[in-house]
Amino acid sequence: MIKSRTLITLAKFQQRQSRQLLLLFVALQLLIWRNTLVVAVNVERINPYEKISEIQLNGRWWMGGGGPNNRSHYATDAVQEMWLTQKLDHFFEETGETTNQSGIEEQWMMRYLVNREFYEPGGPMFIVVGGEWEIHPNLLSEGHFYDMARQHNAIMFYTEHRFYGKSWPKDSAAVEALEYLSVRQSLEDLRYFIKYQKSSLRDLASSKVVLLGASYSGSMAAWFMKLYPNEANVAWASSAPLLAKMDFHEFMTLTMDVIEHKGGTECSEKLEKGFQDLHRILLSSSASKELLYNLQMCSNFDTNNELDISAFFNGLGNYFAAMAQLSSKFVTQFCQQFTEKDTTPTDALVQHIRDVFLPHSQDETKSHGHSQIWCLDLSYEGMKSLFSSEDDDIFNGNRCWFYQTCNEFGWFATTTSNDVAAHNVFGGQVALKFFRNLCQDVFQRSRITTATLLSPNMPSAGGLTLQELYSREWRTNHIFGGLTNISQNVIFTHGRLDPWRAVGMQHGRNVLLLEGYGHVEDLGSINLEDSVALNVAKLKVSAFINKALRES
């Protein structure tokens, strides 16, 4: 009996001890989980694409990133902000999809700017066509177009593209809303805008119309003249891409050519060698760990994930592309420092990446809003996050522009291609299938309706295929003609150092190629500090527009 009670007591003690050990184990696990959570919360991800976007904005003064003479403000007193009611779907009669619950066709408010300081009755309408950015008073306050408006006593307008800036037909960038984002809808917005101004203001009823577009909006100006030749008289398209091209391998190839031209062969070869070595290192398990540590890469980056590898090289390549096309001075400065470094191409490139993207001191870390624990996110998920938010895009336009490139234009900067004319650059790890995956993952097989007027038979089931991307490219070129059947009332200007010229007009009597200049570097006023060739080109633009206004 005593032995039995002893055994029972011992069993109860063991049960209590087991419960205590279990509770201790759970407590330890909670503590570990809590500490892990705190670390995770404190880790700040630095997305390099934010830096690239900043570089692009600062380099594009026509988008409000500072004037051509590095001025940060403009004489904007004469510029007024106005709003115009537009149809959500200009092709409503064909689609019948855009009525509200009351059966009334949906409308929205388009923002535009106007400057009347030079206008005299009978003067023309000078319209700056907005693109994938928020419009600012700059182009209505300075530049060559502004100077020409003064000469012709013109009224000036600046239209804002739907789904950019403050001109939002819908209150989000959800796929269902973006179905009404297309270049055809935007061209119809512009067409109605001109008709409205002429019908509402008696003095403008017979005014002639001059269009200016830069980059994508230059494409719009040229396409408007093709589709609606009786709605405007003449257009100036600066650095306008006209050929839709999904596999745009020429872009990065020409970027490397620009670096070689401005910085020398030694620089371009060392840079390419650095990119090739980065790829080789990422293939090695041990060497890649050291590289990721030196770059302070986020832990979500997987060297065995092909999409992460492509995102890594696409992000770094885009940085050099942005700098090469928008700031030729950067190329010279970069190459001088890069070639002088007495290190391997890989070490020199890694150090430059650190200098550009990572905080350098505690004060800088605080000023940029970063915590003391941070990492560089060059992963596929990091890139995808730039385009995935349906609400935040109201402030930056990234998702909307990516939607347009996926559905209409392509212009994806690949660095490896099946095209026999292509050769690999910047490590050669970014193929079209990378962007195919990105388009599919971001928009989850977005339903393309006839609202985009690309095709009523667009595939809607299954995964996005390369063939479907190429079909979208073909449809856009079929509508607008690519590089053929161009309106003769458009004058094109392109910098020879602009990689975008590969899909723009480079030949013809109405084409001016600017030696030594890059993307949209010709909109400023005639300036004696500029090259003779650039000033002569601007005079030719003026003469072209003057002649068109006289003869039309």
Side-chain angles (χ1 to χ4, degrees):
M1 179 66 70
I2 295 175
K3 183 177 181 181
S4 177
R5 285 199 301 269
T6 301
L7 289 174
I8 292 173
T9 302
L10 181 61
K12 289 182 178 179
F13 172 78
Q14 289 175 334
Q15 288 176 354
R16 287 196 301 271
Q17 192 176 41
S18 296
R19 284 196 298 269
Q20 290 173 344
L21 288 173
L22 178 60
L23 290 173
L24 179 62
F25 174 76
V26 171
L28 287 172
Q29 290 299 312
L30 288 172
L31 181 62
I32 293 173
W33 174 81
R34 179 181 179 275
N35 289 337
T36 301
L37 180 62
V38 170
V39 171
V41 168
N42 286 338
V43 172
E44 184 78 21
R45 295 182 182 274
I46 300 176
N47 195 319
Y49 274 93
E50 294 178 359
K51 178 74 173 182
I52 296 170
S53 297
E54 179 183 339
I55 292 169
Q56 290 175 331
L57 177 60
N58 288 336
R60 295 179 174 180
W61 73 275
W62 75 94
M63 292 171 57
N69 300 316
N70 294 321
R71 290 189 287 179
S72 59
H73 63 278
Y74 309 92
T76 60
D77 292 345
V79 179
Q80 294 179 297
E81 180 182 75
M82 306 288 284
W83 298 84
L84 175 65
T85 302
Q86 289 275 11
K87 294 181 180 180
L88 175 63
D89 183 5
H90 290 282
F91 309 101
F92 167 75
E93 294 181 357
E94 299 177 32
T95 64
E97 296 180 350
T98 54
T99 57
N100 58 26
Q101 294 180 350
S102 302
I104 301 174
E105 187 177 353
E106 291 189 54
Q107 297 176 326
W108 62 284
M109 299 300 291
M110 184 187 90
R111 176 173 170 257
Y112 68 95
L113 304 177
V114 58
N115 185 346
R116 299 181 177 88
E117 65 176 312
F118 307 131
Y119 179 66
E120 293 182 5
M125 298 167 58
F126 272 47
I127 302 175
V128 182
V129 181
E132 74 282 15
W133 56 81
E134 179 179 352
I135 61 174
H136 294 272
N138 48 357
L139 284 175
L140 300 191
S141 305
E142 66 170 316
H144 191 45
F145 200 62
Y146 174 81
D147 297 336
M148 286 190 288
R150 184 201 304 267
Q151 175 190 351
H152 290 280
N153 299 318
I155 186 171
M156 298 190 74
F157 296 102
Y158 196 168
T159 59
E160 193 162 70
H161 195 296
R162 58 169 59 198
F163 286 96
Y164 296 102
K166 300 176 182 177
S167 296
W168 279 74
K170 296 286 187 176
D171 58 1
S172 80
V175 172
E176 293 76 14
L178 294 181
E179 288 178 356
Y180 303 103
L181 169 60
S182 73
V183 67
R184 285 298 307 273
Q185 294 281 6
S186 300
L187 290 174
E188 285 291 333
D189 289 338
L190 178 58
R191 186 186 188 190
Y192 177 73
F193 175 85
I194 294 173
K195 288 184 176 181
Y196 171 82
Q197 298 299 339
K198 287 194 169 189
S199 63
S200 62
L201 299 174
R202 181 183 304 175
D203 290 341
L204 295 179
S206 58
S207 290
K208 297 174 182 179
V209 177
V210 182
L211 303 178
L212 166 66
S215 195
Y216 162 57
S217 77
S219 314
M220 292 179 61
W223 291 337
F224 187 90
M225 296 299 297
K226 174 183 172 63
L227 296 184
Y228 316 114
N230 297 322
E231 305 290 345
N233 300 88
V234 62
W236 173 18
S238 173
S239 299
L242 297 181
L243 181 69
K245 198 173 195 296
M246 291 291 164
D247 190 356
F248 189 15
H249 58 83
E250 295 93 342
F251 185 84
M252 296 305 291
T253 301
L254 287 175
T255 293
M256 188 61 80
D257 290 346
V258 170
I259 292 174
E260 180 177 357
H261 177 83
K262 298 294 292 186
T265 303
E266 181 184 0
C267 178
S268 62
E269 290 181 350
K270 184 175 182 179
L271 181 61
E272 185 57 53
K273 181 66 164 56
F275 269 89
Q276 292 173 358
D277 288 347
L278 285 182
H279 178 236
R280 176 182 53 79
I281 292 172
L282 288 172
L283 294 176
S284 168
S285 176
S286 57
S288 63
K289 290 181 181 178
E290 182 179 356
L291 173 64
L292 299 184
Y293 176 80
N294 289 334
L295 289 176
Q296 296 183 239
M297 295 281 285
C298 296
S299 60
N300 64 335
F301 188 87
D302 183 0
T303 57
N304 295 317
N305 186 327
E306 182 180 353
L307 291 176
D308 276 354
I309 297 296
S310 294
F312 175 86
F313 283 98
N314 181 66
L316 298 183
N318 269 345
Y319 161 71
F320 285 98
M323 297 304 295
Q325 69 167 314
L326 296 171
S327 178
S328 57
K329 292 181 180 180
F330 156 80
V331 177
T332 304
Q333 295 170 355
F334 161 76
C335 284
Q336 182 178 355
Q337 298 173 1
F338 190 65
T339 54
E340 286 178 353
K341 289 183 182 294
D342 188 21
T343 58
T344 66
T346 308
D347 290 340
L349 180 55
V350 168
Q351 185 58 52
H352 184 74
I353 295 169
R354 288 178 56 88
D355 291 342
V356 170
F357 294 115
L358 301 182
H360 302 298
S361 65
Q362 185 174 359
D363 290 340
E364 183 177 345
T365 299
K366 292 180 179 179
S367 67
H368 284 76
H370 297 301
S371 62
Q372 293 183 352
I373 303 175
W374 41 262
C375 62
L376 185 62
D377 192 353
L378 277 164
S379 68
Y380 177 74
E381 289 299 321
M383 182 178 182
K384 189 174 72 172
S385 68
L386 292 172
F387 312 117
S388 296
S389 174
E390 298 180 358
D391 297 317
D392 293 345
D393 197 73
I394 290 178
F395 302 103
N396 58 49
N398 288 333
R399 177 176 168 87
C400 295
W401 179 241
F402 191 59
Y403 179 87
Q404 286 195 264
T405 58
C406 288
N407 290 333
E408 298 183 280
F409 313 125
W411 297 331
F412 297 126
T414 59
T415 59
T416 182
S417 174
N418 294 326
D419 192 325
V420 294
H423 63 275
N424 296 349
V425 291
F426 290 98
Q429 298 304 307
V430 185
L432 182 59
K433 62 181 180 180
F434 168 75
F435 295 102
R436 182 269 317 273
N437 282 24
L438 197 58
C439 289
Q440 176 175 275
D441 290 346
V442 170
F443 299 112
Q444 299 179 351
R445 293 293 303 126
S446 58
R447 182 173 61 91
I448 307 300
T449 70
T450 49
T452 63
L453 291 195
L454 287 181
S455 171
N457 301 311
M458 183 68 70
S460 59
L464 179 64
T465 65
L466 293 179
Q467 182 179 0
E468 185 172 330
L469 283 181
Y470 285 125
S471 70
R472 297 176 184 184
E473 168 192 306
W474 178 87
R475 290 182 181 99
T476 298
N477 290 329
H478 178 71
I479 292 171
F480 299 114
L483 299 177
T484 62
N485 194 23
I486 305 298
S487 170
Q488 293 304 304
N489 290 323
V490 182
I491 187 165
F492 296 91
T493 54
H494 268 294
R496 285 192 180 273
L497 299 183
D498 180 11
W500 284 101
R501 67 179 173 85
V503 287
M505 291 295 293
Q506 299 188 67
H507 307 284
R509 64 178 183 176
N510 295 347
V511 178
L512 302 175
L513 295 180
L514 310 175
E515 198 70 43
Y517 290 91
H519 195 63
V520 195
E521 288 194 271
D522 53 357
L523 295 189
S525 299
I526 291 177
N527 190 328
L528 294 179
E529 296 182 1
D530 291 330
S531 70
V532 173
L534 179 58
N535 285 328
V536 169
K538 292 177 182 179
L539 289 173
K540 289 182 177 180
V541 170
S542 297
F544 185 89
I545 292 175
N546 292 345
K547 181 180 178 182
L549 291 177
R550 286 195 310 268
E551 296 179 353
S552 58

